[in-house]
Amino acid sequence: MSAKTIGIIGGGQLGRMLAMAAARLNFRTVILEPQADCPAAHVANEQIAGAYDDAAALAELAKRCDVVTYEFENVPVTAAEDLALQVTVYPPPKALEMAQDRLIEKRFINGCGIPTARFHAVDSQEDLEKALADFGGQGVLKTRRLGYDGKGQRVYRSTADSADSAEGGYAALGSVPLILESFVSFEREISIIAARGSDGKVACYDPAENVHRNGILHTSTLPASISQETANAAREAAEKILTALGYVGVIGIEFFVLADGSLIANEMAPRVHNSGHWTEAACVISQFEQHIRAVAGLPLGNPQRHSDCVMTNLIGDDIKALPEWLRLDDTLVHLYGKTEARPGRKMGHVTQLLR
């Protein structure tokens, strides 16, 4: 093995599950996270308490680790670039740069030959009004940076709607750089989890069909109700993106499926992804182990699914149904070590195998 200690920036549930997977392969893990009692700290070997852009903390992380990865895409790019001068960082900082700004991301995806929704950059109230006029008064206005799980968005569904609320639309989202995306008439949403090793080999899991509730992923179902051609198109798109980025690690890419089976890319996440949690129950090699294998320089595992399944997020008070979930057969329950259930907070997930 080329790496013995793996650093993980971020101490949430994804960092926790990465640390668990690393331990199974006999790697040590060091977490960089400002919150002392974070989910990942319960299972990692060490924690450095510091901000994600703290130069001293990053230098200490580099000193203790052979390779560093991250559990979320809002790590400051400059911090990742500086860190990469001291230790190997996977996925590469370039992937963070592409994923952190929705405008840059969409232009990059289009540059890979993959279609997205139509979009306009919005840097002023005048830009917003012109963009809405071009889209017939409809569209989804989003912050270009830092929005997730439905946050930082404003929806315009009609000309009348936009006329009533467009006037304050730019200011309502903070007068920061925005993007207006056109509506897409789609039949379903899918995502694909894919990995690329340091040797350039790519492994793709089967696409999952996703249902969101209040802007947050609710369920991922395998197999997705799509044709083999659509599934192949998702794999091909993932490979194009991974190759263009010189990527190492696991990525999650979300798509809209149109009536004719064609795909519109929605967004990508350069990390393990919520819609891939099902892999720990329905595959021999989970997305978490696959990511650890990739960043540590090990061969990628077989992503084949051995069972159909449904993964359900436990969000907020959903955790109260835990006793019922525990009584079900063929159901894997995974809790994240969070003590307080709040609205919109991911407390855990369950994956039911369908035999």
Side-chain angles (χ1 to χ4, degrees):
M1 296 184 180
S2 58
K4 295 180 181 179
T5 301
I6 299 173
I8 303 173
I9 302 177
Q13 64 263 19
L14 298 181
R16 177 188 178 98
M17 289 182 270
L18 286 171
M20 293 170 68
R24 290 182 58 246
L25 293 174
N26 206 30
F27 292 111
R28 290 176 52 80
T29 50
V30 180
I31 304 295
L32 173 62
E33 165 64 43
Q35 179 186 330
D37 190 32
C38 62
H42 303 164
V43 298
N45 296 95
E46 300 178 68
Q47 179 184 354
I48 298 172
Y52 307 130
D53 59 353
D54 184 314
L58 289 165
E60 185 63 25
L61 185 68
K63 180 180 176 181
R64 296 191 199 180
C65 300
D66 300 296
V67 63
V68 173
T69 188
Y70 42 88
E71 66 140 15
F72 69 115
E73 60 268 40
N74 288 328
V75 177
V77 174
T78 53
E81 290 173 339
D82 290 344
L83 185 62
L85 298 175
Q86 307 169 65
V87 66
T88 300
V89 176
Y90 289 140
K94 180 181 178 182
L96 284 176
E97 183 180 5
M98 295 299 159
Q100 284 183 1
D101 186 307
R102 287 188 171 93
L103 181 65
I104 293 173
E105 177 186 54
K106 280 189 162 45
R107 287 173 174 168
F108 166 73
I109 291 173
N110 288 165
C112 292
I114 302 164
T116 62
R118 294 173 61 206
F119 57 89
H120 283 297
V122 174
D123 295 307
S124 66
Q125 182 61 36
E126 182 181 4
D127 285 347
L128 174 58
E129 292 169 3
K130 289 180 178 178
L132 280 169
D134 187 42
F135 290 166
Q138 300 180 327
V140 183
L141 184 66
K142 302 178 181 179
T143 54
R144 282 171 50 179
R145 302 176 65 86
L146 300 179
Y148 65 97
D149 287 345
K151 299 178 176 66
Q153 298 186 12
R154 190 166 188 170
V155 178
Y156 299 94
R157 300 191 182 281
S158 67
T159 301
D161 183 26
S162 63
D164 290 340
S165 58
E167 184 175 346
Y170 182 67
L173 289 183
S175 298
V176 296
L178 307 174
I179 183 172
L180 183 72
E181 300 176 9
S182 67
F183 283 140
V184 175
S185 180
F186 62 93
E187 291 198 334
R188 54 185 47 84
E189 297 178 61
I190 66 168
S191 60
I192 190 163
I193 306 299
R196 185 174 183 269
S198 56
D199 59 359
K201 292 184 178 178
V202 174
C204 296
Y205 290 90
D206 290 338
E209 183 167 341
N210 301 321
V211 174
H212 291 78
R213 187 171 64 182
N214 299 323
I216 303 174
L217 181 66
H218 176 47
T219 61
S220 293
T221 300
L222 280 293
S225 299
I226 58 175
S227 67
Q228 189 60 53
E229 290 76 15
T230 298
N232 290 342
R235 292 187 179 94
E236 290 169 7
E239 186 160 1
K240 287 179 181 178
I241 288 171
L242 291 170
T243 301
L245 289 172
Y247 200 91
V248 175
V250 162
I251 195 170
I253 307 172
E254 299 176 347
F255 298 93
F256 298 124
V257 182
L258 307 187
D260 63 0
S262 61
L263 296 175
I264 294 289
N266 181 29
E267 60 184 21
M268 63 182 190
R271 53 171 170 80
V272 288
H273 195 258
N274 193 173
S275 68
H277 289 356
W278 62 272
T279 60
E280 67 178 343
C283 302
V284 173
I285 307 298
S286 72
Q287 66 164 341
F288 307 104
E289 179 175 333
Q290 195 77 293
H291 187 78
I292 295 299
R293 283 175 174 239
V295 303
L298 300 179
L300 297 183
N302 185 348
Q304 183 176 350
R305 186 182 86 250
H306 58 67
S307 300
D308 295 346
C309 64
V310 178
M311 187 283 297
T312 303
N313 269 330
L314 302 179
I315 301 170
D317 285 343
D318 290 347
I319 194 68
K320 294 179 180 178
L322 180 61
E324 286 72 26
W325 286 111
L326 289 170
R327 293 188 185 98
L328 297 178
D329 293 334
D330 297 326
T331 299
L332 184 149
V333 176
H334 194 137
L335 305 182
Y336 301 153
K338 300 177 181 179
T339 56
E340 181 185 0
R342 299 193 297 263
R345 194 181 198 195
K346 295 172 182 174
M347 303 298 296
H349 67 268
V350 295
T351 305
Q352 300 168 274
L353 299 185
L354 308 177
R355 300 186 185 277

